[in-house]
Amino acid sequence: MDQLGLSPPPSKSSLLGVNASVESPGSSVFDLPIQPAASTSTIAIRSPPILLQLASSRTAGNFEEANNLSFVIISGGTGGNAICSAFGNACYVLPVSDDGGSSSEIIRVLGGPSIGDIRSRLVRLIPAAPSSSPLEAIRHFLSYRLPAKCDEKEARDEWRDIVEGRSPLWTGIPNDRKETIRGFLVYFESELLRRAHKNFDFRNGSCTKFLPISPLRHILILAAILPVIVTNHTVTIAAELENGTRLVGQCEISHPVPQGATFEAVSDDPLSPIEGLGERISQKQNVMFEHGAKAHFESLVSPIARLFYINAYGMEIHPAPNPDYLANLDEREVLIYSCGSLWTSIIPCLALRGVAASIARSSKLRAKILLCEYIQPRHPAYTDTEGVNVENDRETERYTAVDYILTITKTLNSSYQAAPYGLGNANTTYPVSAFVTHLVYLEGANVPIDVRHITALGVRCMRIKHEGHDNGEAPRYNPTNVQRAVNEILRGLEC
């Protein structure tokens, strides 16, 4: 499995050899949208028939003016999920540095990059289906999360019921699909048993994250979901605050887990026989993180100055972005900086060498649109299970819309390569409008919008009407109002 730096061993046809034409009740129940590739490199990867059948259906709504355009969407996982159906021909670029919840446990025990956001987007792109359909049963299974508020044994027992096929979660899933999925879960379990001394914690674990990425690789390509960095190694981000403080890891930057929600290692003795050949077992961290907890946070002691990548030794590194990411920036027509935490969802996709030039110099990109976050004052009446744009964000507390624009511009204009020897250290500095041409914001949003200042930066402003204002509903982005804003922007470009 890719997340382990391994690939599942070949097995019977029910694992990797499921034929899309097999006559069975579930032979066409996992219809994901197929996105046209923007470059030949995107479709050059070959894979055997896998897991579940694909079809050309799309979840996106119908654009008027924009129905023939192609999009690059830069976003985090949960933050962009609520609006991803607004775009038809779209490529989704997501970070691989999340270290909260079950992602932290998978990284601690198995290693590899975090792909929780990618899996979350993949599940969200599964087409809508009747509640009684096999497709909806599969969606429910992939979306299920083991309970967080229980002891480790209870979570492990429930996992055992799932992997052995006894759990009610399998209800409604055709047997061929059930055995295919279960086969990969068995493989995941075998990898955990090989590292049993690390004591994997199943609490708060998502079923989707327990599927290795290998069987989903072909689906990710067809659905145009791109990890921002292609690697088998753990990818860590760090933030430097204006006072010089360094915060390591997405959870530490955005939503530190309270004391008592992390766990100590099995033993403090690095040579304890239970821990293998002198291996020091890292502590369990961030296992109990839940997105709802982001509403309650302790303010940063100082604003964030910059974000960067570090290796296992804490040294700053400059990884190369996914080549398909740069290829899509060169080929597609609209760039969207989507919903999501600015510093830990959007900036990790920008703080990489070559990204600035690809955005600024693209001859195809007609619009570069920033969806400004809505920072809602803490109020118990405003809650949302999606956690999309209705909660305070510790990363951008007291930010204005200008701060969002300047943060993106400063990040992209920074150098992400080792300083050369001699005099060849000239860097190109692009204007704001090379990266952001339009700002979309919600009517009634709590983020100060200085239209005159933003316009002076070369960025046009577009306000989205808040239709639920009279009912006391919190402003939020949804596929409908995002579509309208994009259409209006594109119509303006034609004038």
Side-chain angles (χ1 to χ4, degrees), residues 29-33 52 59 84 119-131 133-145 169 171-174 181 206-208:
V29 298
F30 199 71
D31 298 332
L32 284 179
L52 302 159
T59 59
C84 63
R119 297 176 192 273
S120 173
R121 181 59 45 80
L122 179 60
V123 172
R124 181 53 66 100
L125 288 173
I126 298 175
S131 59
S133 70
L135 178 58
E136 188 60 29
I138 292 175
R139 186 211 304 274
H140 175 69
F141 177 89
L142 295 177
S143 301
Y144 182 73
R145 185 178 291 275
L169 288 172
T171 302
I173 299 179
I181 297 171
S206 167
C207 284
T208 316

Side-chain angles (χ1 to χ4, degrees), residues 260-297:
T262 57
F263 305 90
E264 296 299 322
V266 175
S267 170
D268 290 330
D269 181 4
L271 300 180
S272 172
I274 195 174
E275 296 179 358
L277 302 176
E279 179 183 12
R280 180 180 293 275
I281 308 301
S282 59
Q283 292 186 352
K284 299 179 182 181
Q285 298 182 32
N286 308 325
V287 182
M288 308 306 288
F289 167 70
E290 298 177 271
H291 284 285
K294 293 179 71 173
H296 310 284
F297 62 85

Side-chain angles (χ1 to χ4, degrees), residues 166-492:
R166 299 191 304 266
S167 170
L169 288 172
W170 296 111
T171 302
I173 299 179
N175 192 62
D176 61 338
R177 297 302 187 253
K178 172 183 174 180
E179 291 307 310
T180 297
I181 297 171
R182 202 173 69 81
F184 284 108
L185 296 181
V186 169
Y187 182 74
F188 178 81
E189 169 81 350
S190 72
E191 292 300 316
L192 295 182
L193 290 174
R194 290 175 56 191
R195 301 161 176 82
H197 56 285
K198 293 188 176 182
N199 191 28
F200 187 87
D201 192 336
F202 285 95
R203 284 182 290 181
N204 202 30
S206 167
C207 284
T208 316
K209 292 183 183 178
F210 296 154
L211 276 171
I213 198 64
S214 291
L216 302 179
R217 181 192 290 114
H218 195 55
I219 297 176
L220 293 176
I221 293 170
L222 292 174
I225 300 175
L226 300 178
V228 70
I229 300 171
V230 179
T231 179
N232 282 331
H233 301 287
T234 300
V235 176
T236 305
I237 56 174
E240 182 180 295
L241 307 188
E242 290 182 0
N243 68 354
T245 301
R246 175 187 282 198
L247 301 177
V248 176
Q250 179 169 326
C251 268
E252 185 66 22
I253 298 168
S254 181
H255 36 262
V257 176
Q259 294 295 323
T262 57
F263 305 90
E264 296 299 322
V266 175
S267 170
D268 290 330
D269 181 4
L271 300 180
S272 172
I274 195 174
E275 296 179 358
L277 302 176
E279 179 183 12
R280 180 180 293 275
I281 308 301
S282 59
Q283 292 186 352
K284 299 179 182 181
Q285 298 182 32
N286 308 325
V287 182
M288 308 306 288
F289 167 70
E290 298 177 271
H291 284 285
K294 293 179 71 173
H296 310 284
F297 62 85
E298 182 179 345
S299 298
L300 290 169
V301 296
S302 179
I304 298 174
R306 69 184 186 106
L307 182 133
F308 53 97
Y309 286 90
I310 61 173
N311 62 17
Y313 302 100
M315 300 173 61
E316 183 172 353
I317 57 174
H318 306 294
N322 186 340
D324 284 340
Y325 171 26
L326 300 185
N328 276 276
L329 288 173
D330 289 339
E331 294 294 331
R332 295 182 182 260
E333 297 162 286
V334 180
L335 170 64
I336 304 286
Y337 302 96
S338 183
C339 309
S341 298
L342 177 64
W343 281 103
T344 55
S345 292
I346 306 301
I347 297 301
C349 297
L350 306 179
L352 297 161
R353 62 177 184 265
V355 174
S358 292
I359 294 175
R361 298 177 180 176
S362 173
S363 60
K364 295 288 186 67
L365 285 176
R366 298 173 54 192
K368 305 161 188 179
I369 303 170
L370 168 62
L371 303 183
C372 187
E373 280 286 348
Y374 171 69
I375 307 302
Q376 171 63 42
R378 300 176 191 175
H379 193 290
Y382 289 157
T383 59
D384 184 29
T385 55
E386 290 291 342
V388 180
N389 300 329
V390 295
E391 299 165 346
N392 267 305
D393 191 329
R394 150 179 162 113
E395 304 172 19
T396 51
E397 195 174 18
R398 295 181 293 275
Y399 268 41
T400 68
V402 171
D403 292 322
Y404 278 90
I405 295 171
L406 295 182
T407 295
I408 290 172
T409 303
K410 178 183 177 182
T411 298
L412 287 167
N413 272 325
S414 298
S415 175
Y416 297 103
Q417 56 189 5
Y421 294 103
L423 301 177
N425 194 26
N427 293 319
T428 301
T429 299
Y430 296 98
V432 171
S433 58
F435 304 129
V436 181
T437 60
H438 297 81
L439 173 80
V440 174
Y441 66 96
L442 288 157
E443 181 182 68
N446 198 47
V447 176
I449 307 292
D450 187 338
V451 175
R452 180 175 297 180
H453 188 172
I454 295 170
T455 303
L457 294 173
V459 179
R460 298 181 181 180
C461 294
M462 170 69 64
R463 183 178 64 183
I464 293 180
K465 182 176 176 58
H466 172 33
E467 297 174 351
H469 178 74
D470 294 337
N471 300 325
E473 297 178 6
R476 69 194 66 195
Y477 291 114
N478 58 54
T480 301
N481 58 31
V482 169
Q483 284 181 8
R484 289 174 181 169
V486 171
N487 284 333
E488 186 66 27
I489 288 170
L490 295 174
R491 278 196 293 267

